[in-house]
Amino acid sequence: METIENNKLIAEFMNLNLYKSFWYKSNIATEKQICKENNLQFHSDWNWLMEVVEKIESLGYRIEIVKHICRIYLSNKETIIISENIPKIEAVYNACVEFIKWYNNQNKVS
């Protein structure tokens, strides 16, 4: 259950939209169906997960992946997330999930 909830959290962060049991990526010109509701692959597919890493970096954060450790830094080099796991994809996935939780908490509207 936790993986499904974490994948949903990532999907929302990635601006995917859930409609009639399918996740969609949409923009003005096109709407692209990504997958069925409970078939998100952020936890198991590097292609999916690296899009998340790239979005986090586009927000001005730095991600470092070395062996089985993933660190996410603020722009001033302060570490905000450290995840260590084997296999490596789990470390990166867990770091991304924790970052999104942290990021959402930092950007709550009062």
Side-chain angles (χ1 to χ4, degrees), residues 4 6 8 20 25 30 33 42 45-46 49 51 61 66 75 77 85 92-93 96 100 109-110:
I4 292 171
N6 288 339
K8 181 180 176 190
K20 293 188 178 182
K25 187 176 211 173
T30 183
Q33 181 177 315
F42 296 109
D45 187 318
W46 278 110
L49 190 54
E51 286 188 35
Y61 300 91
V66 179
S75 58
K77 298 183 182 176
N85 216 329
V92 178
Y93 174 76
C96 288
I100 293 167
V109 177
S110 301

mmCIF file of all heavy atoms in Angstrom, residues 4 6 8 20 25 30 33 42 45-46 49 51 61 66 75 77 85 92-93 96 100 109-110:
data_model
loop_
_atom_site.group_PDB
_atom_site.id
_atom_site.type_symbol
_atom_site.label_atom_id
_atom_site.label_comp_id
_atom_site.label_asym_id
_atom_site.label_seq_id
_atom_site.Cartn_x
_atom_site.Cartn_y
_atom_site.Cartn_z
ATOM 1 N N ILE A 4 2.022 2.350 -3.480
ATOM 2 C CA ILE A 4 0.946 2.965 -4.266
ATOM 3 C C ILE A 4 0.745 4.414 -3.839
ATOM 4 O O ILE A 4 0.644 5.312 -4.679
ATOM 5 C CB ILE A 4 -0.359 2.157 -4.132
ATOM 6 C CG1 ILE A 4 -0.210 0.798 -4.820
ATOM 7 C CG2 ILE A 4 -1.550 2.931 -4.707
ATOM 8 C CD1 ILE A 4 -1.353 -0.164 -4.569
ATOM 9 N N ASN A 6 2.938 6.382 -2.258
ATOM 10 C CA ASN A 6 4.128 7.165 -2.604
ATOM 11 C C ASN A 6 4.170 7.468 -4.103
ATOM 12 O O ASN A 6 4.532 8.576 -4.506
ATOM 13 C CB ASN A 6 5.396 6.435 -2.174
ATOM 14 C CG ASN A 6 5.581 6.452 -0.674
ATOM 15 O OD1 ASN A 6 5.025 7.284 0.036
ATOM 16 N ND2 ASN A 6 6.360 5.514 -0.166
ATOM 17 N N LYS A 8 1.575 7.778 -6.005
ATOM 18 C CA LYS A 8 0.545 8.805 -6.219
ATOM 19 C C LYS A 8 1.084 10.188 -5.831
ATOM 20 O O LYS A 8 0.870 11.170 -6.541
ATOM 21 C CB LYS A 8 -0.699 8.469 -5.399
ATOM 22 C CG LYS A 8 -1.816 9.453 -5.581
ATOM 23 C CD LYS A 8 -3.035 9.090 -4.756
ATOM 24 C CE LYS A 8 -4.074 10.183 -4.914
ATOM 25 N NZ LYS A 8 -5.187 10.033 -3.974
ATOM 26 N N LYS A 20 -10.791 9.050 -14.438
ATOM 27 C CA LYS A 20 -11.403 7.766 -14.779
ATOM 28 C C LYS A 20 -10.404 6.609 -14.731
ATOM 29 O O LYS A 20 -10.247 5.855 -15.676
ATOM 30 C CB LYS A 20 -12.082 7.831 -16.134
ATOM 31 C CG LYS A 20 -13.287 8.741 -16.151
ATOM 32 C CD LYS A 20 -14.038 8.625 -17.437
ATOM 33 C CE LYS A 20 -15.272 9.527 -17.376
ATOM 34 N NZ LYS A 20 -16.077 9.437 -18.580
ATOM 35 N N LYS A 25 -0.797 12.910 -18.601
ATOM 36 C CA LYS A 25 0.106 14.049 -18.663
ATOM 37 C C LYS A 25 -0.500 14.966 -19.703
ATOM 38 O O LYS A 25 -0.719 14.558 -20.837
ATOM 39 C CB LYS A 25 1.504 13.606 -19.083
ATOM 40 C CG LYS A 25 2.548 14.678 -19.005
ATOM 41 C CD LYS A 25 3.904 14.098 -19.352
ATOM 42 C CE LYS A 25 4.982 14.827 -18.613
ATOM 43 N NZ LYS A 25 6.282 14.184 -18.801
ATOM 44 N N THR A 30 -1.852 18.725 -26.138
ATOM 45 C CA THR A 30 -2.110 17.283 -26.167
ATOM 46 C C THR A 30 -2.366 16.748 -24.767
ATOM 47 O O THR A 30 -1.971 17.343 -23.783
ATOM 48 C CB THR A 30 -0.923 16.524 -26.792
ATOM 49 O OG1 THR A 30 -1.261 15.143 -26.866
ATOM 50 C CG2 THR A 30 0.343 16.689 -26.007
ATOM 51 N N GLN A 33 -2.071 9.693 -22.239
ATOM 52 C CA GLN A 33 -2.348 8.721 -21.184
ATOM 53 C C GLN A 33 -1.045 8.058 -20.776
ATOM 54 O O GLN A 33 -0.299 7.571 -21.614
ATOM 55 C CB GLN A 33 -3.344 7.680 -21.682
ATOM 56 C CG GLN A 33 -3.695 6.664 -20.631
ATOM 57 C CD GLN A 33 -4.740 5.696 -21.132
ATOM 58 O OE1 GLN A 33 -5.717 6.086 -21.727
ATOM 59 N NE2 GLN A 33 -4.492 4.423 -20.892
ATOM 60 N N PHE A 42 7.244 4.538 -10.758
ATOM 61 C CA PHE A 42 8.351 5.339 -10.230
ATOM 62 C C PHE A 42 9.288 4.509 -9.354
ATOM 63 O O PHE A 42 10.488 4.762 -9.313
ATOM 64 C CB PHE A 42 7.824 6.526 -9.420
ATOM 65 C CG PHE A 42 7.037 7.510 -10.234
ATOM 66 C CD1 PHE A 42 5.663 7.621 -10.075
ATOM 67 C CD2 PHE A 42 7.658 8.310 -11.175
ATOM 68 C CE1 PHE A 42 4.926 8.524 -10.827
ATOM 69 C CE2 PHE A 42 6.937 9.222 -11.934
ATOM 70 C CZ PHE A 42 5.565 9.324 -11.761
ATOM 71 N N ASP A 45 11.209 1.674 -12.241
ATOM 72 C CA ASP A 45 11.677 1.968 -13.597
ATOM 73 C C ASP A 45 12.526 3.241 -13.578
ATOM 74 O O ASP A 45 12.042 4.319 -13.261
ATOM 75 C CB ASP A 45 10.466 2.146 -14.523
ATOM 76 C CG ASP A 45 10.839 2.286 -15.985
ATOM 77 O OD1 ASP A 45 11.824 2.997 -16.292
ATOM 78 O OD2 ASP A 45 10.131 1.712 -16.829
ATOM 79 N N TRP A 46 13.808 3.071 -13.921
ATOM 80 C CA TRP A 46 14.720 4.220 -13.910
ATOM 81 C C TRP A 46 14.236 5.347 -14.816
ATOM 82 O O TRP A 46 14.436 6.532 -14.506
ATOM 83 C CB TRP A 46 16.133 3.803 -14.319
ATOM 84 C CG TRP A 46 16.923 3.207 -13.204
ATOM 85 C CD1 TRP A 46 17.293 1.908 -13.078
ATOM 86 C CD2 TRP A 46 17.440 3.885 -12.058
ATOM 87 N NE1 TRP A 46 18.011 1.733 -11.914
ATOM 88 C CE2 TRP A 46 18.116 2.929 -11.263
ATOM 89 C CE3 TRP A 46 17.384 5.207 -11.602
ATOM 90 C CZ2 TRP A 46 18.741 3.251 -10.057
ATOM 91 C CZ3 TRP A 46 18.009 5.527 -10.409
ATOM 92 C CH2 TRP A 46 18.680 4.561 -9.651
ATOM 93 N N LEU A 49 11.722 7.293 -12.858
ATOM 94 C CA LEU A 49 12.314 7.939 -11.693
ATOM 95 C C LEU A 49 13.236 9.092 -12.081
ATOM 96 O O LEU A 49 13.264 10.128 -11.401
ATOM 97 C CB LEU A 49 13.070 6.900 -10.864
ATOM 98 C CG LEU A 49 13.565 7.343 -9.498
ATOM 99 C CD1 LEU A 49 12.438 7.916 -8.648
ATOM 100 C CD2 LEU A 49 14.234 6.175 -8.782
ATOM 101 N N GLU A 51 12.913 11.162 -14.469
ATOM 102 C CA GLU A 51 12.107 12.364 -14.743
ATOM 103 C C GLU A 51 11.836 13.126 -13.451
ATOM 104 O O GLU A 51 11.822 14.360 -13.443
ATOM 105 C CB GLU A 51 10.789 11.993 -15.429
ATOM 106 C CG GLU A 51 10.957 11.601 -16.879
ATOM 107 C CD GLU A 51 9.623 11.432 -17.582
ATOM 108 O OE1 GLU A 51 8.668 12.180 -17.273
ATOM 109 O OE2 GLU A 51 9.533 10.545 -18.444
ATOM 110 N N TYR A 61 17.453 22.411 -6.745
ATOM 111 C CA TYR A 61 18.081 21.508 -5.788
ATOM 112 C C TYR A 61 19.102 20.646 -6.512
ATOM 113 O O TYR A 61 19.029 20.472 -7.715
ATOM 114 C CB TYR A 61 17.024 20.634 -5.097
ATOM 115 C CG TYR A 61 16.006 21.468 -4.356
ATOM 116 C CD1 TYR A 61 14.844 21.885 -4.992
ATOM 117 C CD2 TYR A 61 16.226 21.880 -3.051
ATOM 118 C CE1 TYR A 61 13.920 22.683 -4.332
ATOM 119 C CE2 TYR A 61 15.307 22.674 -2.385
ATOM 120 C CZ TYR A 61 14.158 23.069 -3.035
ATOM 121 O OH TYR A 61 13.252 23.864 -2.382
ATOM 122 N N VAL A 66 25.518 8.245 -5.377
ATOM 123 C CA VAL A 66 26.804 7.559 -5.327
ATOM 124 C C VAL A 66 26.582 6.184 -4.706
ATOM 125 O O VAL A 66 26.093 6.080 -3.574
ATOM 126 C CB VAL A 66 27.840 8.337 -4.494
ATOM 127 C CG1 VAL A 66 29.164 7.594 -4.428
ATOM 128 C CG2 VAL A 66 28.027 9.741 -5.051
ATOM 129 N N SER A 75 20.429 24.736 -2.527
ATOM 130 C CA SER A 75 21.418 25.405 -3.374
ATOM 131 C C SER A 75 22.654 25.848 -2.596
ATOM 132 O O SER A 75 23.725 25.995 -3.154
ATOM 133 C CB SER A 75 20.782 26.601 -4.087
ATOM 134 O OG SER A 75 20.254 27.501 -3.123
ATOM 135 N N LYS A 77 24.264 24.069 -0.532
ATOM 136 C CA LYS A 77 24.985 22.837 -0.221
ATOM 137 C C LYS A 77 24.563 22.201 1.101
ATOM 138 O O LYS A 77 25.183 21.261 1.562
ATOM 139 C CB LYS A 77 26.494 23.040 -0.264
ATOM 140 C CG LYS A 77 26.987 23.454 -1.635
ATOM 141 C CD LYS A 77 28.476 23.582 -1.663
ATOM 142 C CE LYS A 77 28.912 24.057 -3.055
ATOM 143 N NZ LYS A 77 30.318 24.295 -3.137
ATOM 144 N N ASN A 85 20.104 2.765 0.519
ATOM 145 C CA ASN A 85 19.395 1.514 0.351
ATOM 146 C C ASN A 85 20.023 0.696 -0.758
ATOM 147 O O ASN A 85 20.724 1.224 -1.608
ATOM 148 C CB ASN A 85 17.924 1.776 0.022
ATOM 149 C CG ASN A 85 17.005 0.764 0.649
ATOM 150 O OD1 ASN A 85 17.371 -0.383 0.843
ATOM 151 N ND2 ASN A 85 15.797 1.203 0.970
ATOM 152 N N VAL A 92 17.216 6.093 -4.376
ATOM 153 C CA VAL A 92 16.808 7.287 -5.129
ATOM 154 C C VAL A 92 15.300 7.513 -4.986
ATOM 155 O O VAL A 92 14.852 8.632 -4.734
ATOM 156 C CB VAL A 92 17.223 7.169 -6.611
ATOM 157 C CG1 VAL A 92 16.757 8.372 -7.409
ATOM 158 C CG2 VAL A 92 18.741 7.013 -6.718
ATOM 159 N N TYR A 93 14.531 6.453 -5.106
ATOM 160 C CA TYR A 93 13.073 6.544 -4.960
ATOM 161 C C TYR A 93 12.700 7.087 -3.581
ATOM 162 O O TYR A 93 11.911 8.028 -3.466
ATOM 163 C CB TYR A 93 12.460 5.156 -5.179
ATOM 164 C CG TYR A 93 10.982 5.069 -4.933
ATOM 165 C CD1 TYR A 93 10.071 5.559 -5.857
ATOM 166 C CD2 TYR A 93 10.481 4.474 -3.780
ATOM 167 C CE1 TYR A 93 8.700 5.464 -5.633
ATOM 168 C CE2 TYR A 93 9.124 4.370 -3.549
ATOM 169 C CZ TYR A 93 8.235 4.872 -4.482
ATOM 170 O OH TYR A 93 6.882 4.771 -4.255
ATOM 171 N N CYS A 96 13.497 10.745 -3.260
ATOM 172 C CA CYS A 96 12.532 11.571 -3.991
ATOM 173 C C CYS A 96 11.222 11.694 -3.223
ATOM 174 O O CYS A 96 10.656 12.785 -3.115
ATOM 175 C CB CYS A 96 12.282 10.995 -5.380
ATOM 176 S SG CYS A 96 13.678 11.200 -6.516
ATOM 177 N N ILE A 100 9.753 15.193 -1.745
ATOM 178 C CA ILE A 100 8.435 15.723 -2.118
ATOM 179 C C ILE A 100 7.616 16.027 -0.865
ATOM 180 O O ILE A 100 6.953 17.067 -0.793
ATOM 181 C CB ILE A 100 7.706 14.754 -3.068
ATOM 182 C CG1 ILE A 100 8.452 14.702 -4.413
ATOM 183 C CG2 ILE A 100 6.249 15.171 -3.271
ATOM 184 C CD1 ILE A 100 8.022 13.567 -5.319
ATOM 185 N N VAL A 109 0.273 26.550 1.848
ATOM 186 C CA VAL A 109 -0.327 27.873 1.915
ATOM 187 C C VAL A 109 -0.933 28.030 3.302
ATOM 188 O O VAL A 109 -1.713 27.182 3.743
ATOM 189 C CB VAL A 109 -1.413 28.042 0.822
ATOM 190 C CG1 VAL A 109 -2.078 29.391 0.942
ATOM 191 C CG2 VAL A 109 -0.813 27.825 -0.547
ATOM 192 N N SER A 110 -0.547 29.096 3.983
ATOM 193 C CA SER A 110 -1.045 29.312 5.355
ATOM 194 C C SER A 110 -2.471 29.770 5.362
ATOM 195 O O SER A 110 -2.944 30.469 4.568
ATOM 196 C CB SER A 110 -0.180 30.346 6.066
ATOM 197 O OG SER A 110 1.142 29.890 6.110
#
